[in-house]
Structures are given as C-alpha cells and as structure tokens.
Coordinates of all heavy atoms in Angstrom, one line a residue:
M165 N 7.6 -2.4 15.4 CA 7.2 -3.8 15.6 C 6.5 -4.3 14.3 O 5.7 -3.7 13.8 CB 6.2 -3.8 16.8 CG 5.5 -5.2 16.9 SD 4.0 -5.1 17.9 CE 4.6 -5.9 19.3
T166 N 7.0 -5.5 13.9 CA 6.4 -6.1 12.7 C 5.5 -7.3 13.1 O 5.8 -8.1 14.0 CB 7.5 -6.7 11.8 OG1 8.4 -5.6 11.5 CG2 7.0 -7.3 10.6
K167 N 4.3 -7.3 12.5 CA 3.4 -8.4 12.8 C 2.7 -8.9 11.5 O 2.5 -8.1 10.6 CB 2.3 -8.0 13.9 CG 1.4 -6.8 13.4 CD 0.4 -6.5 14.5 CE -0.5 -5.4 14.0 NZ -1.5 -5.0 14.9
A168 N 2.5 -10.2 11.5 CA 1.8 -10.8 10.3 C 0.3 -10.3 10.3 O -0.3 -10.1 11.4 CB 1.9 -12.3 10.4
T169 N -0.2 -10.3 9.2 CA -1.6 -9.9 9.0 C -2.3 -10.6 7.8 O -1.6 -11.1 7.0 CB -1.8 -8.4 8.9 OG1 -3.2 -8.1 9.0 CG2 -1.2 -7.9 7.6
N170 N -3.6 -10.7 7.8 CA -4.3 -11.1 6.7 C -5.1 -9.9 6.2 O -6.0 -9.5 6.9 CB -5.3 -12.3 7.0 CG -4.5 -13.5 7.3 OD1 -3.5 -13.8 6.7 ND2 -5.1 -14.3 8.2
L171 N -4.8 -9.4 5.0 CA -5.6 -8.4 4.4 C -6.9 -9.0 3.9 O -7.0 -10.1 3.6 CB -4.8 -7.7 3.3 CG -3.6 -6.9 3.7 CD1 -3.0 -6.3 2.4 CD2 -4.0 -5.7 4.6
D172 N -7.9 -8.2 3.9 CA -9.2 -8.6 3.3 C -9.0 -9.3 2.0 O -8.1 -8.9 1.2 CB -10.0 -7.3 3.1 CG -11.4 -7.7 2.5 OD1 -12.3 -8.1 3.2 OD2 -11.5 -7.4 1.3
G173 N -9.7 -10.4 1.8 CA -9.5 -11.2 0.6 C -9.7 -10.4 -0.7 O -8.9 -10.6 -1.7
V174 N -10.6 -9.4 -0.7 CA -10.8 -8.6 -1.9 C -9.5 -7.8 -2.1 O -9.1 -7.6 -3.3 CB -12.0 -7.7 -1.7 CG1 -12.1 -6.7 -2.8 CG2 -13.3 -8.5 -1.6
L175 N -8.9 -7.2 -1.1 CA -7.7 -6.4 -1.2 C -6.6 -7.2 -1.6 O -5.8 -6.8 -2.5 CB -7.4 -5.8 0.2 CG -6.4 -4.7 0.2 CD1 -6.7 -3.6 -0.8 CD2 -6.3 -4.1 1.6
A176 N -6.4 -8.4 -1.1 CA -5.3 -9.3 -1.6 C -5.5 -9.7 -3.0 O -4.5 -9.7 -3.8 CB -5.3 -10.6 -0.7
E177 N -6.7 -9.9 -3.5 CA -7.0 -10.2 -4.9 C -6.6 -9.0 -5.7 O -6.1 -9.2 -6.8 CB -8.4 -10.6 -5.0 CG -8.7 -11.2 -6.4 CD -8.0 -12.5 -6.8 OE1 -7.7 -13.3 -5.9 OE2 -7.7 -12.7 -7.9
E178 N -6.9 -7.8 -5.3 CA -6.6 -6.6 -6.0 C -5.1 -6.4 -6.2 O -4.6 -6.1 -7.3 CB -7.2 -5.4 -5.3 CG -7.2 -4.1 -6.0 CD -8.1 -4.1 -7.2 OE1 -9.1 -4.8 -7.3 OE2 -7.8 -3.4 -8.2
I179 N -4.3 -6.8 -5.1 CA -2.9 -6.7 -5.2 C -2.4 -7.7 -6.3 O -1.5 -7.4 -7.1 CB -2.2 -7.0 -3.9 CG1 -2.5 -5.8 -2.9 CG2 -0.7 -7.2 -4.0 CD1 -2.2 -6.1 -1.5
I180 N -2.9 -8.9 -6.3 CA -2.6 -9.9 -7.2 C -2.9 -9.5 -8.6 O -2.1 -9.6 -9.6 CB -3.2 -11.3 -6.9 CG1 -2.6 -11.8 -5.6 CG2 -3.1 -12.3 -8.1 CD1 -3.3 -13.1 -5.1
N181 N -4.0 -8.9 -8.8 CA -4.4 -8.4 -10.2 C -3.5 -7.3 -10.7 O -3.1 -7.3 -11.8 CB -5.9 -7.8 -10.2 CG -6.9 -8.9 -10.0 OD1 -6.6 -10.1 -10.3 ND2 -8.1 -8.6 -9.5
V182 N -3.1 -6.4 -9.8 CA -2.1 -5.3 -10.1 C -0.8 -6.0 -10.6 O -0.2 -5.6 -11.6 CB -1.9 -4.4 -9.0 CG1 -0.7 -3.5 -9.2 CG2 -3.1 -3.5 -8.8
I183 N -0.3 -7.0 -9.8 CA 1.0 -7.6 -10.1 C 0.9 -8.4 -11.4 O 1.8 -8.3 -12.3 CB 1.4 -8.5 -9.0 CG1 1.7 -7.7 -7.8 CG2 2.5 -9.5 -9.4 CD1 1.8 -8.4 -6.5
R184 N -0.2 -9.1 -11.7 CA -0.4 -9.8 -12.9 C -0.4 -8.9 -14.1 O 0.2 -9.1 -15.1 CB -1.8 -10.6 -12.9 CG -2.0 -11.4 -14.1 CD -3.3 -12.3 -14.0 NE -3.3 -13.2 -12.9 CZ -2.6 -14.3 -12.9 NH1 -1.9 -14.7 -13.9 NH2 -2.7 -15.1 -11.8
A185 N -1.1 -7.7 -14.0 CA -1.1 -6.7 -15.1 C 0.2 -6.1 -15.3 O 0.7 -5.9 -16.4 CB -2.2 -5.7 -14.8
N186 N 0.9 -5.7 -14.2 CA 2.2 -5.1 -14.3 C 3.2 -6.0 -15.0 O 4.0 -5.5 -15.8 CB 2.7 -4.6 -12.9 CG 3.8 -3.7 -13.0 OD1 3.6 -2.5 -13.4 ND2 5.0 -4.1 -12.8
F187 N 3.2 -7.2 -14.6 CA 4.2 -8.2 -15.2 C 3.7 -8.8 -16.5 O 4.3 -9.6 -17.1 CB 4.5 -9.3 -14.2 CG 5.4 -8.8 -13.1 CD1 5.2 -9.3 -11.8 CD2 6.4 -7.9 -13.3 CE1 6.0 -8.9 -10.8 CE2 7.2 -7.5 -12.2 CZ 7.0 -8.0 -11.0
D188 N 2.4 -8.5 -16.9 CA 1.8 -9.0 -18.1 C 1.8 -10.5 -18.1 O 2.2 -11.2 -19.1 CB 2.5 -8.5 -19.4 CG 1.7 -8.7 -20.6 OD1 0.5 -8.7 -20.5 OD2 2.3 -8.8 -21.7
L189 N 1.3 -11.1 -17.0 CA 1.3 -12.5 -16.8 C 0.0 -13.1 -17.4 O -1.1 -12.5 -17.2 CB 1.4 -12.9 -15.4 CG 2.8 -12.5 -14.7 CD1 2.7 -12.8 -13.2 CD2 3.9 -13.3 -15.3
D190 N 0.1 -14.3 -18.0 CA -1.1 -14.9 -18.5 C -1.9 -15.6 -17.4 O -1.4 -15.7 -16.3 CB -0.8 -15.8 -19.7 CG 0.1 -17.0 -19.2 OD1 0.3 -17.2 -18.0 OD2 0.6 -17.7 -20.1
A191 N -3.0 -16.2 -17.7 CA -3.9 -16.8 -16.7 C -3.2 -18.1 -16.2 O -3.5 -18.5 -15.1 CB -5.2 -17.2 -17.3
A192 N -2.3 -18.7 -16.9 CA -1.6 -19.9 -16.5 C -0.6 -19.7 -15.4 O -0.2 -20.6 -14.7 CB -1.0 -20.7 -17.7
S193 N -0.1 -18.4 -15.3 CA 0.9 -18.1 -14.3 C 0.2 -18.0 -13.0 O -0.9 -17.4 -12.8 CB 1.5 -16.7 -14.7 OG 2.2 -16.9 -15.9
K194 N 0.9 -18.4 -12.0 CA 0.3 -18.5 -10.6 C 1.0 -17.4 -9.7 O 2.2 -17.3 -9.7 CB 0.5 -19.9 -10.0 CG -0.1 -20.0 -8.6 CD 0.1 -21.4 -8.1 CE -0.4 -21.5 -6.7 NZ -0.1 -22.8 -6.1
I195 N 0.2 -16.6 -9.0 CA 0.7 -15.7 -8.1 C 0.1 -16.0 -6.7 O -1.1 -16.1 -6.6 CB 0.3 -14.2 -8.5 CG1 0.8 -13.9 -9.9 CG2 0.9 -13.2 -7.4 CD1 0.3 -12.6 -10.4
E196 N 1.0 -16.2 -5.8 CA 0.6 -16.5 -4.4 C 1.2 -15.5 -3.4 O 2.4 -15.3 -3.5 CB 1.0 -17.9 -4.1 CG 0.6 -18.4 -2.7 CD 1.1 -19.8 -2.4 OE1 1.2 -20.6 -3.4 OE2 1.4 -20.1 -1.3
V197 N 0.4 -14.9 -2.6 CA 0.9 -14.0 -1.5 C 1.4 -15.0 -0.4 O 0.6 -15.6 0.3 CB -0.2 -13.1 -1.0 CG1 0.4 -12.2 0.1 CG2 -0.7 -12.2 -2.2
S198 N 2.7 -15.0 -0.2 CA 3.3 -15.9 0.8 C 3.1 -15.3 2.2 O 2.8 -16.1 3.1 CB 4.8 -16.1 0.6 OG 5.1 -16.6 -0.7
S199 N 3.3 -14.0 2.3 CA 3.1 -13.4 3.6 C 2.9 -11.9 3.5 O 3.4 -11.3 2.5 CB 4.2 -13.7 4.6 OG 5.4 -12.9 4.2
I200 N 2.2 -11.3 4.4 CA 2.0 -9.9 4.5 C 2.2 -9.5 6.0 O 1.6 -10.1 6.9 CB 0.6 -9.4 4.1 CG1 0.4 -9.8 2.6 CG2 0.5 -7.9 4.3 CD1 -1.0 -9.4 2.1
E201 N 3.2 -8.7 6.2 CA 3.5 -8.2 7.5 C 3.4 -6.7 7.6 O 3.8 -6.0 6.6 CB 4.9 -8.7 8.0 CG 5.0 -10.2 8.1 CD 6.3 -10.6 8.6 OE1 7.2 -9.8 8.8 OE2 6.5 -11.8 8.7
I202 N 2.9 -6.2 8.7 CA 2.8 -4.7 8.9 C 3.9 -4.3 9.9 O 4.0 -4.9 11.0 CB 1.4 -4.4 9.5 CG1 0.3 -4.9 8.6 CG2 1.3 -2.9 9.6 CD1 0.3 -4.4 7.2
D203 N 4.7 -3.3 9.5 CA 5.7 -2.7 10.4 C 5.1 -1.4 10.8 O 5.2 -0.4 10.1 CB 7.0 -2.6 9.7 CG 8.1 -2.1 10.6 OD1 7.8 -1.3 11.5 OD2 9.3 -2.5 10.4
Q204 N 4.5 -1.4 12.0 CA 3.9 -0.2 12.5 C 4.9 1.0 12.7 O 4.6 2.1 12.5 CB 3.1 -0.5 13.8 CG 2.0 -1.4 13.6 CD 0.7 -0.7 13.0 OE1 0.7 0.5 12.8 NE2 -0.2 -1.6 12.7
D205 N 6.1 0.6 13.2 CA 7.1 1.6 13.5 C 7.6 2.3 12.3 O 7.8 3.5 12.3 CB 8.3 0.9 14.3 CG 7.9 0.3 15.6 OD1 6.9 0.8 16.2 OD2 8.5 -0.6 16.0
E206 N 7.8 1.6 11.2 CA 8.4 2.2 10.0 C 7.3 2.5 8.9 O 7.6 2.9 7.8 CB 9.5 1.3 9.4 CG 10.7 1.2 10.4 CD 11.9 0.6 9.7 OE1 12.0 0.6 8.5 OE2 12.7 0.0 10.5
H207 N 6.1 2.2 9.3 CA 4.9 2.4 8.4 C 5.2 1.7 7.0 O 5.0 2.3 6.0 CB 4.7 3.9 8.2 CG 4.2 4.5 9.4 ND1 2.9 4.5 9.8 CD2 4.8 5.3 10.3 CE1 2.7 5.1 11.0 NE2 3.9 5.6 11.3
K208 N 5.5 0.4 7.1 CA 5.7 -0.4 5.9 C 4.7 -1.6 5.9 O 4.4 -2.1 7.0 CB 7.1 -1.0 5.9 CG 8.2 0.0 5.7 CD 9.5 -0.7 5.7 CE 10.7 0.3 5.7 NZ 12.0 -0.4 5.8
I209 N 4.4 -2.0 4.7 CA 3.7 -3.3 4.5 C 4.6 -4.2 3.7 O 5.0 -3.8 2.6 CB 2.3 -3.1 3.7 CG1 1.4 -2.1 4.5 CG2 1.7 -4.4 3.5 CD1 0.1 -1.8 3.8
L210 N 5.0 -5.2 4.3 CA 6.0 -6.1 3.7 C 5.2 -7.3 3.1 O 4.6 -8.1 3.7 CB 7.0 -6.7 4.8 CG 7.6 -5.6 5.6 CD1 8.3 -6.2 6.8 CD2 8.6 -4.8 4.8
I211 N 5.3 -7.3 1.7 CA 4.5 -8.3 1.0 C 5.5 -9.3 0.3 O 6.3 -8.8 -0.5 CB 3.6 -7.6 -0.1 CG1 2.7 -6.6 0.6 CG2 2.8 -8.7 -0.9 CD1 2.0 -5.7 -0.4
E212 N 5.4 -10.6 0.6 CA 6.2 -11.6 -0.1 C 5.3 -12.4 -1.0 O 4.2 -12.8 -0.6 CB 6.9 -12.5 0.9 CG 7.9 -11.8 1.7 CD 8.7 -12.7 2.6 OE1 8.6 -14.0 2.5 OE2 9.4 -12.2 3.5
L213 N 5.8 -12.5 -2.2 CA 5.0 -13.2 -3.3 C 5.8 -14.4 -3.8 O 7.0 -14.4 -3.9 CB 4.8 -12.3 -4.5 CG 4.2 -10.9 -4.2 CD1 4.3 -10.1 -5.4 CD2 2.7 -11.1 -3.9
L214 N 5.1 -15.4 -4.3 CA 5.6 -16.5 -5.1 C 5.0 -16.4 -6.4 O 3.7 -16.5 -6.5 CB 5.4 -17.8 -4.4 CG 5.8 -19.1 -5.2 CD1 7.3 -19.0 -5.4 CD2 5.5 -20.3 -4.4
I215 N 5.7 -16.2 -7.5 CA 5.2 -16.1 -8.8 C 5.8 -17.3 -9.6 O 7.0 -17.5 -9.7 CB 5.6 -14.8 -9.5 CG1 5.1 -13.6 -8.7 CG2 5.1 -14.8 -10.9 CD1 5.5 -12.3 -9.2
T216 N 4.9 -18.1 -10.1 CA 5.3 -19.2 -11.0 C 4.7 -19.0 -12.4 O 3.5 -18.8 -12.5 CB 4.8 -20.6 -10.5 OG1 5.2 -20.8 -9.1 CG2 5.3 -21.7 -11.3
T217 N 5.6 -18.9 -13.4 CA 5.2 -18.5 -14.7 C 5.7 -19.5 -15.7 O 6.8 -20.0 -15.6 CB 5.6 -17.1 -15.1 OG1 5.2 -16.8 -16.4 CG2 7.1 -16.9 -15.0
T218 N 4.9 -19.8 -16.7 CA 5.3 -20.7 -17.8 C 5.6 -19.9 -19.0 O 6.2 -20.5 -20.0 CB 4.1 -21.7 -18.1 OG1 3.0 -20.9 -18.5 CG2 3.8 -22.6 -16.9
T219 N 5.4 -18.6 -19.0 CA 5.5 -17.8 -20.3 C 6.6 -16.8 -20.2 O 7.1 -16.4 -21.3 CB 4.2 -17.1 -20.7 OG1 3.8 -16.3 -19.6 CG2 3.1 -18.2 -20.9
V220 N 7.0 -16.3 -19.0 CA 7.9 -15.2 -18.9 C 9.1 -15.7 -18.1 O 8.9 -16.3 -17.0 CB 7.2 -14.0 -18.3 CG1 8.2 -12.9 -18.2 CG2 6.0 -13.6 -19.0
Q221 N 10.3 -15.3 -18.5 CA 11.5 -15.6 -17.8 C 11.7 -14.6 -16.6 O 11.3 -13.5 -16.7 CB 12.7 -15.6 -18.7 CG 12.7 -16.6 -19.8 CD 12.7 -18.0 -19.2 OE1 13.4 -18.4 -18.3 NE2 11.8 -18.8 -19.6
P222 N 12.3 -15.1 -15.5 CA 12.5 -14.2 -14.3 C 13.2 -12.9 -14.7 O 12.9 -11.8 -14.2 CB 13.3 -15.0 -13.4 CG 12.9 -16.4 -13.7 CD 12.7 -16.4 -15.2
E223 N 14.1 -12.9 -15.6 CA 14.9 -11.7 -16.0 C 14.0 -10.7 -16.6 O 14.1 -9.5 -16.5 CB 16.0 -12.1 -17.0 CG 17.0 -13.1 -16.5 CD 16.5 -14.5 -16.7 OE1 15.8 -14.9 -17.7 OE2 16.8 -15.4 -15.8
D224 N 13.0 -11.2 -17.4 CA 12.0 -10.3 -18.1 C 11.1 -9.7 -17.1 O 10.7 -8.5 -17.2 CB 11.3 -11.0 -19.2 CG 12.1 -11.5 -20.3 OD1 13.1 -10.8 -20.6 OD2 11.8 -12.5 -20.9
L225 N 10.7 -10.4 -16.0 CA 9.9 -9.9 -15.0 C 10.6 -8.8 -14.2 O 10.0 -7.8 -13.8 CB 9.4 -11.0 -14.0 CG 8.4 -12.0 -14.6 CD1 8.1 -13.1 -13.5 CD2 7.1 -11.3 -15.0
A226 N 11.9 -9.0 -14.0 CA 12.6 -8.0 -13.3 C 12.6 -6.6 -14.0 O 12.6 -5.6 -13.3 CB 14.1 -8.5 -13.1
K227 N 12.6 -6.7 -15.3 CA 12.5 -5.4 -16.1 C 11.2 -4.7 -15.9 O 11.1 -3.5 -16.1 CB 12.7 -5.7 -17.6 CG 14.1 -6.2 -17.9 CD 14.2 -6.6 -19.3 CE 15.5 -7.4 -19.6 NZ 15.6 -7.9 -20.9
S228 N 10.1 -5.4 -15.5 CA 8.8 -4.9 -15.3 C 8.5 -4.4 -13.9 O 7.4 -4.0 -13.6 CB 7.7 -5.9 -15.7 OG 7.9 -6.3 -17.0
Y229 N 9.5 -4.5 -13.1 CA 9.3 -4.2 -11.6 C 9.2 -2.7 -11.4 O 8.5 -2.3 -10.4 CB 10.5 -4.8 -10.9 CG 10.3 -4.9 -9.4 CD1 9.5 -6.0 -8.9 CD2 10.8 -4.0 -8.5 CE1 9.3 -6.1 -7.6 CE2 10.6 -4.2 -7.1 CZ 9.8 -5.3 -6.7 OH 9.6 -5.4 -5.3
F230 N 9.7 -1.9 -12.2 CA 9.6 -0.4 -12.1 C 8.2 0.0 -12.1 O 7.4 -0.4 -12.9 CB 10.4 0.3 -13.2 CG 10.4 1.8 -13.0 CD1 11.2 2.4 -12.0 CD2 9.6 2.6 -13.8 CE1 11.2 3.8 -11.9 CE2 9.5 4.0 -13.6 CZ 10.4 4.5 -12.7
G231 N 7.8 0.8 -11.1 CA 6.4 1.3 -11.0 C 5.5 0.4 -10.2 O 4.3 0.8 -10.0
L232 N 5.9 -0.8 -9.9 CA 5.0 -1.7 -9.2 C 4.5 -1.2 -7.8 O 3.4 -1.3 -7.4 CB 5.6 -3.1 -9.1 CG 4.8 -4.2 -8.4 CD1 3.5 -4.4 -9.2 CD2 5.6 -5.5 -8.3
T233 N 5.5 -0.6 -7.1 CA 5.2 -0.1 -5.7 C 4.0 0.9 -5.8 O 3.1 0.8 -4.9 CB 6.4 0.5 -5.1 OG1 7.4 -0.5 -5.0 CG2 6.2 1.0 -3.7
G234 N 4.1 1.8 -6.7 CA 3.0 2.8 -6.8 C 1.7 2.2 -7.1 O 0.7 2.6 -6.5
K235 N 1.7 1.2 -8.0 CA 0.4 0.6 -8.4 C -0.2 -0.2 -7.2 O -1.4 -0.2 -7.0 CB 0.6 -0.3 -9.6 CG 0.9 0.6 -10.8 CD 1.3 -0.3 -12.0 CE 1.7 0.6 -13.2 NZ 2.2 -0.2 -14.3
V236 N 0.7 -0.9 -6.5 CA 0.2 -1.7 -5.3 C -0.3 -0.7 -4.2 O -1.3 -1.0 -3.6 CB 1.4 -2.6 -4.8 CG1 1.0 -3.2 -3.4 CG2 1.6 -3.7 -5.7
R237 N 0.4 0.4 -4.1 CA 0.0 1.4 -3.1 C -1.4 1.9 -3.4 O -2.3 2.1 -2.5 CB 1.0 2.5 -3.1 CG 0.8 3.4 -1.9 CD 2.0 4.4 -1.8 NE 2.0 4.9 -0.4 CZ 2.9 5.8 0.0 NH1 3.8 6.2 -0.8 NH2 2.8 6.2 1.2
E238 N -1.7 2.1 -4.7 CA -3.0 2.5 -5.1 C -4.1 1.4 -4.8 O -5.2 1.7 -4.3 CB -3.1 2.9 -6.6 CG -2.4 4.1 -7.0 CD -2.4 4.4 -8.5 OE1 -3.2 3.7 -9.2 OE2 -1.5 5.2 -8.9
A239 N -3.7 0.2 -5.1 CA -4.6 -0.9 -4.8 C -4.9 -1.1 -3.3 O -6.0 -1.5 -3.0 CB -4.0 -2.2 -5.4
L240 N -3.9 -0.8 -2.5 CA -4.2 -0.9 -1.0 C -5.2 0.1 -0.5 O -5.9 -0.1 0.5 CB -2.9 -0.6 -0.3 CG -1.8 -1.8 -0.4 CD1 -0.5 -1.3 0.2 CD2 -2.3 -3.0 0.3
G241 N -5.4 1.2 -1.2 CA -6.4 2.2 -0.9 C -6.1 3.1 0.2 O -5.0 3.1 0.8
S242 N -7.1 4.0 0.5 CA -6.9 5.0 1.5 C -6.6 4.5 2.9 O -5.9 5.2 3.7 CB -8.0 6.0 1.5 OG -9.2 5.3 1.9
D243 N -7.1 3.3 3.3 CA -6.9 2.8 4.6 C -5.4 2.6 4.9 O -5.0 2.6 6.1 CB -7.7 1.5 4.8 CG -9.2 1.7 4.9 OD1 -9.6 2.9 5.1 OD2 -9.9 0.7 4.8
W244 N -4.6 2.3 3.9 CA -3.2 2.0 4.0 C -2.3 3.1 3.4 O -1.1 2.9 3.2 CB -2.9 0.7 3.4 CG -3.6 -0.5 4.1 CD1 -4.7 -1.1 3.7 CD2 -3.2 -1.0 5.4 NE1 -5.1 -2.0 4.7 CE2 -4.2 -2.0 5.6 CE3 -2.1 -0.8 6.3 CZ2 -4.1 -2.8 6.8 CZ3 -2.1 -1.6 7.4 CH2 -3.0 -2.6 7.7
S245 N -2.9 4.3 3.2 CA -2.1 5.3 2.5 C -0.9 5.8 3.2 O 0.1 6.3 2.6 CB -3.0 6.5 2.2 OG -3.5 7.1 3.4
G246 N -0.9 5.6 4.5 CA 0.3 6.0 5.3 C 1.4 5.0 5.4 O 2.4 5.2 6.0
F247 N 1.2 3.9 4.7 CA 2.2 2.8 4.7 C 2.8 2.6 3.3 O 2.1 2.7 2.3 CB 1.5 1.5 5.2 CG 1.1 1.5 6.6 CD1 0.0 2.1 7.1 CD2 1.9 0.8 7.5 CE1 -0.3 2.1 8.4 CE2 1.6 0.8 8.9 CZ 0.5 1.4 9.3
F248 N 4.1 2.3 3.3 CA 4.8 2.0 2.1 C 4.9 0.5 1.8 O 5.4 -0.2 2.7 CB 6.2 2.6 2.2 CG 6.9 2.6 0.9 CD1 6.7 3.5 -0.1 CD2 7.9 1.6 0.6 CE1 7.4 3.5 -1.3 CE2 8.6 1.5 -0.6 CZ 8.3 2.5 -1.5
P249 N 4.4 0.1 0.7 CA 4.5 -1.4 0.4 C 5.9 -1.8 -0.1 O 6.5 -1.1 -1.0 CB 3.5 -1.6 -0.7 CG 3.4 -0.3 -1.4 CD 3.6 0.8 -0.3
V250 N 6.5 -2.8 0.6 CA 7.8 -3.3 0.2 C 7.5 -4.7 -0.4 O 7.0 -5.6 0.3 CB 8.8 -3.4 1.3 CG1 10.1 -4.1 0.9 CG2 9.0 -2.0 1.9
I251 N 7.7 -4.9 -1.7 CA 7.3 -6.1 -2.4 C 8.5 -7.0 -2.7 O 9.4 -6.5 -3.4 CB 6.5 -5.8 -3.7 CG1 5.4 -4.8 -3.4 CG2 6.0 -7.0 -4.4 CD1 5.1 -3.8 -4.4
T252 N 8.5 -8.2 -2.2 CA 9.6 -9.1 -2.4 C 9.1 -10.3 -3.2 O 8.4 -11.2 -2.6 CB 10.2 -9.6 -1.1 OG1 10.6 -8.4 -0.4 CG2 11.4 -10.4 -1.3
P253 N 9.3 -10.4 -4.5 CA 8.8 -11.6 -5.2 C 9.9 -12.7 -5.3 O 11.1 -12.4 -5.4 CB 8.6 -11.0 -6.6 CG 9.6 -9.9 -6.8 CD 9.8 -9.3 -5.4
Q254 N 9.4 -13.9 -5.2 CA 10.2 -15.1 -5.6 C 9.7 -15.6 -6.9 O 8.5 -15.9 -6.9 CB 10.1 -16.2 -4.5 CG 10.6 -15.7 -3.1 CD 12.1 -15.5 -3.1 OE1 12.8 -16.2 -3.7 NE2 12.5 -14.4 -2.4
I255 N 10.5 -15.7 -7.9 CA 10.0 -16.0 -9.2 C 10.6 -17.3 -9.7 O 11.8 -17.5 -9.7 CB 10.3 -14.8 -10.2 CG1 9.7 -13.5 -9.7 CG2 9.8 -15.2 -11.6 CD1 10.2 -12.3 -10.4
T256 N 9.7 -18.2 -10.1 CA 10.2 -19.5 -10.7 C 9.5 -19.7 -12.0 O 8.4 -19.2 -12.3 CB 9.9 -20.7 -9.8 OG1 8.5 -20.7 -9.6 CG2 10.6 -20.5 -8.4
S257 N 10.2 -20.5 -12.9 CA 9.6 -20.9 -14.1 C 9.3 -22.4 -14.1 O 10.1 -23.1 -13.5 CB 10.5 -20.6 -15.3 OG 10.7 -19.2 -15.4
G258 N 8.2 -22.8 -14.6 CA 7.9 -24.2 -14.6 C 6.5 -24.5 -15.0 O 5.7 -23.6 -15.2
A259 N 6.2 -25.8 -15.2 CA 4.9 -26.2 -15.6 C 4.0 -26.4 -14.4 O 4.5 -26.7 -13.3 CB 5.0 -27.5 -16.4
H260 N 2.7 -26.1 -14.6 CA 1.8 -26.4 -13.5 C 1.2 -27.8 -13.7 O 1.0 -28.3 -14.7 CB 0.6 -25.4 -13.7 CG 1.0 -24.0 -13.5 ND1 1.3 -23.4 -12.3 CD2 1.1 -23.0 -14.4 CE1 1.7 -22.2 -12.4 NE2 1.5 -21.9 -13.7
A261 N 1.0 -28.4 -12.5 CA 0.5 -29.8 -12.5 C -1.0 -29.8 -12.7 O -1.7 -28.9 -12.3 CB 0.9 -30.5 -11.3

C-alpha cells in the first residue's frame, strides 16, 4: 500500500541539501519536493522532485545522478533505514522571477 506523507521539515531540508550538493547546484537553483509517498509493502520511499536550475543543463545533472540514492538514504537516517528511496527528478532550465 502506497500512501502520501509529510516528512519532518528538517528531514526534507536535509534531503534537499544532499541533492543540491550532489548535483553541485548554486543558490539560485530551486529544488522543490513535489511529493513523498511511502510504500509499506515494498519498503520504498518514493520522492518526486522539481529542480529548476539556471546554471546546469539537465543532461549534466543526469551524469551526477549516480550515488544519489545512497546519500539520500543516509540523510533519511535510522528511522527509515529499512526503506529504499526511489528519487524521480523533473528538471527544467529557466530564469527565476
């Protein structure tokens, strides 16, 4: 069974920080967690992101995707150690208003 959840704000911020560092995004780039769902049956955390960047092309971000799952898993901490994070980013390039 999959259900939507809100992770603690500090934990969500930690995930965003890991993603920003992994993709080497500057402060002008925006990362938004679109949704987080927990699949209790398969022990997965499904994380959907929207990344808007002005400095990096989506193709370059794709090259930095390797290793992200492990880093996000560390950021989730021991409370979620039995769950595997599945990260689905939507990446766009553009200027911020």
Side-chain angles (χ1 to χ4, degrees):
M165 170 197 255
T166 303
K167 63 180 180 177
T169 188
N170 288 328
L171 292 178
D172 178 77
V174 172
L175 191 54
E177 188 65 32
E178 191 67 27
I179 292 169
I180 289 172
N181 289 338
V182 166
I183 291 165
R184 183 175 300 284
N186 194 74
F187 289 144
D188 196 26
L189 296 172
D190 63 9
S193 297
K194 182 179 176 186
I195 303 171
E196 180 181 328
V197 178
S198 304
S199 72
I200 298 176
E201 295 181 0
I202 306 298
D203 186 327
Q204 296 283 352
D205 297 333
E206 295 191 25
H207 294 280
K208 293 180 186 176
I209 299 176
L210 309 167
I211 304 169
E212 291 186 14
L213 306 167
L214 176 60
I215 301 173
T216 305
T217 177
T218 58
T219 59
V220 182
Q221 295 301 312
E223 304 83 33
D224 295 328
L225 289 176
K227 294 175 188 173
S228 301
Y229 199 74
F230 183 75
L232 181 60
T233 300
K235 293 174 184 173
V236 168
R237 195 170 198 181
E238 287 177 18
L240 289 169
S242 61
D243 289 346
W244 295 100
S245 64
F247 288 79
F248 186 81
V250 177
I251 305 144
T252 307
Q254 298 293 322
I255 304 168
T256 61
S257 296
H260 297 288

